């Protein structure tokens, strides 16, 4: 279990404790959870795979970008890997800021960038017994800043 | 030269393996040349490799990056985390 | 302790349990926390007062509006009253939706409307020993829909 | 007639009480007339009452709403929750 990529359940309470900050008045959390259908097909679980070291670097970079671009004080991102049943948390973004507007914008930025840039892949397992990797976002050769 | 290739996401289903140790009869090998060699071995990859990016270690590398003998090259198809 | 206005600590985990939903893939949480300064003055606590029955009705209305206006599946709003030390949660908004875009918009809408419409007042207690009610939003005579 | 007035937020500091039982020598009393009566008793409220809304029970009422004898009227200054 690293700071960014976790094999066990994500622990929101622990992340909230680690980001406690008396100068922040706004807290925005985004979390992705495994839902029971995709384009009409009943889903029973999702397996997430990551290129772990590269994913850690990308999530760290996104955290740093968030702190640099938005008027926020804390940003943490964690993604789970392995096979997750319905309802389990696959990703958590925690942002704390003095005020709510930049906290919302920063959390949205963080999850949008994660989805485009983190080397993580989702394989859906359907009620039918079939599994499928989903279409995704092609990575960029070079990081754009 | 010898290259260890690691297939991420759906690519491992196309190849039938998560990792492959491949031999190339060349003195130098770019990422682009590695992709050509992979298509020769696994024709099912032809349509997919243009949107696949390669990483050596935890660095994403360009098509003209020179792969070293014994390098481990990760093939990263379009991502779908979140 | 009611569904909307609470005298004791707000319980995020309980709200998450109450909104569990296998058809939702996105969870957005907003929370307000007591911060240690306001316009340069060190704050040591905040007292929140509510017209409880009217506030309950307004928060319930905002929840219903969120469910009607946005493509989201769950919306819960809780506000605490009483005197809160630094770092304590004063308000929680929980939104769950199939997808993240409407979840973010809905959570933002809910907290913005709460701030304009809920009959709740904040008295800041400063390190100096002084206290002050903050300027706020005048309520509307009639609800606009 | 008799009205119980409840002062919310900073208003209770201006009045020096959270609640007041007030007598009015009238047969009918609108919200606007109640506000005038309050300003006569508490001049410090003059500048604040224009942005204060009244509620009877948990209904916000207009300036021309007729207050009933014995009603409890809540005075709600601009709000600052969140």
């Amino acid at each position: 279990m690293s700071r960014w990529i976790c094999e066990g359940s994500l622990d929101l309470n622990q992340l909230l404790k680690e980001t406690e900050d008396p100068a922040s008045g706004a807290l925005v959390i985004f979390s992705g959870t495994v839902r029971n259908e995709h384009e009409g097909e009943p889903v029973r679980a999702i397996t997430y795979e990551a290129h772990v070291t590269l994913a850690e670097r990308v999530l760290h970079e996104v955290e740093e970008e968030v702190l640099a671009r938005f008027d926020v004080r804390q940003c943490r991102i964690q993604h789970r890997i392995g096979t997750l049943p319905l309802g389990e948390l696959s990703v958590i973004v925690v942002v704390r800021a003095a005020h709510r507007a930049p906290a919302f914008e920063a959390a949205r930025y963080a999850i949008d960038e994660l989805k485009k840039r983190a080397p993580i892949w989702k394989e859906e397992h359907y009620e039918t017994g079939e599994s499928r990797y989903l279409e995704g976002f092609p990575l960029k050769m070079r990081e754009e800043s | 030269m010898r290259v260890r290739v690691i297939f991420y996401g759906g690519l491992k289903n196309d190849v039938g393996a998560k990792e492959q140790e491949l031999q190339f009869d060349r003195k130098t090998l770019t990422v682009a040349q590695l992709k050509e060699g992979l298509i020769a071995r696994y024709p099912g990859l032809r349509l997919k490799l243009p949107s696949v990016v390669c990483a050596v270690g935890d660095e994403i590398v360009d098509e003209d990056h020179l792969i070293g003998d014994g390098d481990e090259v990760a093939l990263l198809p379009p991502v779908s985390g979140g």
Side-chain angles (χ1 to χ4, degrees), chain A residues 15-57:
Chain A
L15 265 185
L16 291 180
K17 191 176 291 180
E18 289 174 20
T19 57
E20 273 179 6
D21 174 25
S24 289
L27 164 66
V28 174
I29 301 163
F30 173 82
S31 182
T33 55
V34 177
R35 59 192 280 259
N36 60 7
E37 69 100 28
H38 180 75
E39 292 174 359
E41 274 194 84
V43 170
R44 59 173 182 77
I46 294 182
T47 300
Y48 286 94
E49 178 192 28
H51 183 304
V52 174
T53 54
L54 184 53
E56 287 171 346
R57 224 190 59 191

Side-chain angles (χ1 to χ4, degrees), chain B residues 26 36 38 40 43-44 52 61 67 70 72 82:
Chain B
R26 311 180 57 105
E36 285 164 27
L38 285 167
V52 166
V61 293
I67 295 167
E72 213 173 79

Side-chain angles (χ1 to χ4, degrees), chain A residues 10 29-35 46 48 78-80 84-85 87-93 111 115 122, chain B residues 81-82:
Chain A
L10 299 180
I29 301 163
F30 173 82
S31 182
T33 55
V34 177
R35 59 192 280 259
I46 294 182
Y48 286 94
Q78 282 187 346
H79 202 296
R80 185 159 169 205
L84 283 62
E88 287 278 300
L89 307 187
S90 57
V91 59
I92 302 180
V93 173
I111 185 64
K115 286 186 178 251
K122 178 190 292 194

Side-chain angles (χ1 to χ4, degrees), chain A residues 123-134:
Chain A
E123 184 182 20
E124 288 186 341
H125 306 291
Y126 303 104
E127 289 287 358
T128 59
E130 288 176 301
S131 294
R132 192 172 71 221
Y133 281 91
L134 299 190

